[in-house]
Amino acid sequence: LNVCMTVAYVASLKELLPAELGSSTKTLHNNVLSLFIFLGVGAAGGELGDFIAALRIQTPAFQLALLFTGVIGTAINMSTFWCSRVTSGATYAFVGASNKI
């Protein structure tokens, strides 16, 4: 089921997103869209203020580590878009499923 859904996702990405867009542009759009969704849900749940307050009292090392995870996540997202552009959906899904073994 995981492989089938991943193949369908990659196929829909290739179909819906213009091929001339680079991986960095796709990553930017994906991250901005996700940011608005998470900010909206966090604000609606009343957790956004608590998150900011908790982040302010953390050590600079923790804040830097949190920033680093965001940078690494962006790099993974960019490599995902690149990989889905240069391979087929089936290959992408198979490699993704194989790394869990």
Side-chain angles (χ1 to χ4, degrees):
L1 180 64
N2 184 19
V3 172
C4 293
M5 295 305 291
T6 304
V7 169
Y9 171 70
V10 172
S12 67
L13 274 181
K14 286 185 176 186
E15 200 60 35
L16 295 174
L17 293 175
E20 62 271 2
L21 288 180
S23 297
S24 58
T25 305
K26 292 176 185 176
T27 301
L28 175 68
H29 288 136
N30 186 42
N31 288 350
V32 168
L33 179 64
S34 299
L35 180 65
F36 284 123
I37 291 171
F38 284 122
L39 285 176
V41 170
E47 297 179 0
L48 194 56
D50 294 340
F51 171 75
I52 293 171
L55 186 59
R56 285 185 180 160
I57 63 171
Q58 298 300 322
T59 64
F62 177 84
Q63 293 172 351
L64 186 63
L66 185 62
L67 177 66
F68 185 67
T69 61
V71 171
I72 294 297
T74 300
I76 290 170
N77 194 351
M78 193 177 294
S79 65
T80 298
F81 281 121
W82 173 81
C83 186
S84 67
R85 182 174 48 89
V86 298
T87 64
S88 69
T91 301
Y92 177 80
F94 181 75
V95 170
S98 297
N99 73 6
K100 294 172 180 58
I101 296 176

